[in-house]
Amino acid sequence: MRSVTTRTAATCTAVGLLAVLSACGGSSTAGTSKAVVAPPKGLASSGTLTYGTAATFPPFESQAVNGDLQGFDIDMVKALSSSMGLRPKPMDMDFDGLIPALGGKRVDIINSAMYITPERAKKVDFVPYIVIGEALLTPAGNPKHISRVPQDLSGKTVAVTRGAIGETYMTAYNKELQQQGLPQMKILVLPTNQDAMLAVRSGRADGFDTSTPGAASTLAGTKGQFALAATFKNDTKIGIAVRKGDSATATAISRALDRFVKSGGYRKLLDKYQIPDSSDYFATTTSASVSASASSGS
C-alpha cells in the first residue's frame, strides 16, 4: 500500500506525442515549442520554467565532465517544459537551499529527486513521479559486516547528505538503537552525496546512505570500490515540488507529466538510466491520480 495520501489534481488529457529527449545542459537557450499544456502565470522568468536542483545525485541529476547537467530529472524537465512552450532553466544549489529558493520565488519548481515526507509536505505541494528505496554502501568487501538496518549500524559512522531523507532516517534509527539499549551510530552530515561517498572512500565513515538507483549508478561507475550492504524503505516516493497552494503550477506540471508518460517518454528514461521497473510510479497509478499534493510519506 502506498504511504503517501494525495489530492487528485485536475484530470489530465493526453493530446499527442511531444517531448524531445536529448540531454539537457546548464544552458537555458534552447528554443521553445508551441504550448499544448497551458503554462502557469507569474513565472520567475518569462518564457522559462526555472527549476531548483542539487546536481549531486546521479542518476537523477549530476554534472557531466563539461559542466552540463545530466540525468533522469534533467531530461524529464526538458520534456515537461516543452509541453508548456517554455525553456528549462536550472538553478544548481545545495539541497537544503531548495525549499527556501522555492518559497522565495527564485524558482518555479523543485526538480531534484525530492523525497515526499510529511515534514516537507507541510511546506510544499508535490507531483509524485517515481518510487525508490534507500541503500547503504560500504567499502568493497563490507569490512564491518553491515547487513541489518539499524542493528548493524550501532557504533558505526554513517555519512548522509545534509537536508536529505537519509539524515532523517538515520536520526530515527538512532532512537530505535537507544530504545534497544544499543550504542547509537555517529551520523556524519555532509553537503552533498559525493561528499558522503568520499567520506567512505577516505575511511571517515563506515557507510553512506543513497537511493537505490543512486547506489546502482555508483556501483557501476566506481569499479569495485564499494559494496551494497543493505536496502531499506523501498516504498519511498519522490516528486516535483511546487509552492504550497500553487494549484496552477501543480496542474500544469501534472498535465505535462501525464502527456510525457502516455507518450512513452517516461518509460524510455527509466530504461536509459537503468532505473528498475519497480520504480515506475505509474505502473499501478492511473493518470487521474497524478497528484499536486502529499500529506504523508517516507
Side-chain angles (χ1 to χ4, degrees):
M1 179 178 293
R2 295 188 181 276
S3 60
V4 177
T5 303
T6 57
R7 286 199 308 270
T8 301
T11 301
C12 307
T13 303
V15 291
L17 177 63
L18 188 63
V20 177
L21 292 177
S22 58
C24 174
S27 171
S28 62
T29 59
T32 58
S33 302
K34 182 179 179 181
V36 291
V37 171
K41 297 181 180 179
L43 295 168
S45 180
S46 178
T48 68
L49 183 67
T50 306
Y51 66 94
T53 192
T56 60
F57 196 55
F60 294 100
E61 43 270 323
S62 62
Q63 283 195 0
V65 175
N66 65 0
D68 286 348
L69 301 189
Q70 61 184 3
F72 182 99
D73 288 342
I74 307 306
D75 287 358
M76 181 178 70
V77 79
K78 186 171 186 179
L80 303 187
S81 300
S82 180
S83 288
M84 292 181 277
L86 302 172
R87 296 183 303 272
K89 179 182 177 182
M91 290 185 64
D92 189 9
M93 64 188 74
D94 286 345
F95 190 87
D96 56 359
L98 291 171
I99 290 179
L102 181 65
K105 298 187 178 181
R106 293 171 55 205
V107 299
D108 302 310
I109 62 171
I110 296 171
N111 174 53
S112 193
M114 181 167 277
Y115 292 21
I116 299 172
T117 69
E119 186 62 29
R120 288 177 184 154
K122 294 176 183 177
K123 302 174 182 177
V124 300
D125 290 338
F126 285 100
V127 180
Y129 62 92
I130 210 164
V131 184
I132 61 175
E134 290 296 285
L136 192 78
L137 293 185
T138 67
N142 192 6
K144 297 295 180 71
H145 307 292
I146 297 171
S147 62
R148 300 172 301 161
V149 175
Q151 294 92 331
D152 291 346
L153 302 181
S154 174
K156 309 298 193 303
T157 299
V158 176
V160 300
T161 303
R162 182 184 300 120
I165 197 65
E167 182 180 4
T168 301
Y169 288 153
M170 297 307 155
T171 300
Y173 284 145
N174 259 348
K175 292 180 182 179
E176 289 186 30
L177 292 172
Q178 185 178 37
Q179 291 170 355
Q180 296 171 19
L182 297 172
Q184 295 185 351
M185 75 184 89
K186 178 182 178 181
I187 303 172
L188 184 61
V189 182
L190 297 167
T192 71
N193 190 69
Q194 275 69 24
D195 292 328
M197 178 179 69
L198 290 173
V200 174
R201 183 179 286 166
S202 66
R204 294 174 59 206
D206 300 308
F208 78 98
D209 172 85
T210 188
S211 70
T212 46
S217 177
T218 298
L219 292 170
T222 54
K223 300 180 180 178
Q225 295 180 31
F226 297 96
L228 177 62
T231 63
F232 54 99
K233 301 290 185 181
N234 289 305
D235 60 351
T236 303
K237 294 162 190 66
I238 61 179
I240 293 172
V242 304
R243 280 182 286 278
K244 197 72 182 172
D246 185 358
S247 59
T249 300
T251 297
I253 293 294
S254 296
R255 288 175 172 168
L257 181 58
D258 186 69
R259 293 190 71 255
F260 185 54
V261 171
K262 290 183 176 179
S263 76
Y266 175 87
R267 180 71 255 174
K268 289 178 182 177
L269 282 192
L270 291 177
D271 293 341
K272 176 180 178 179
Y273 291 101
Q274 299 180 351
I275 297 174
D277 291 346
S278 59
S279 290
D280 186 345
Y281 176 80
F282 303 98
T284 56
T285 305
T286 64
S287 61
S289 66
V290 175
S291 169
S293 177
S295 60
S296 64
S298 297

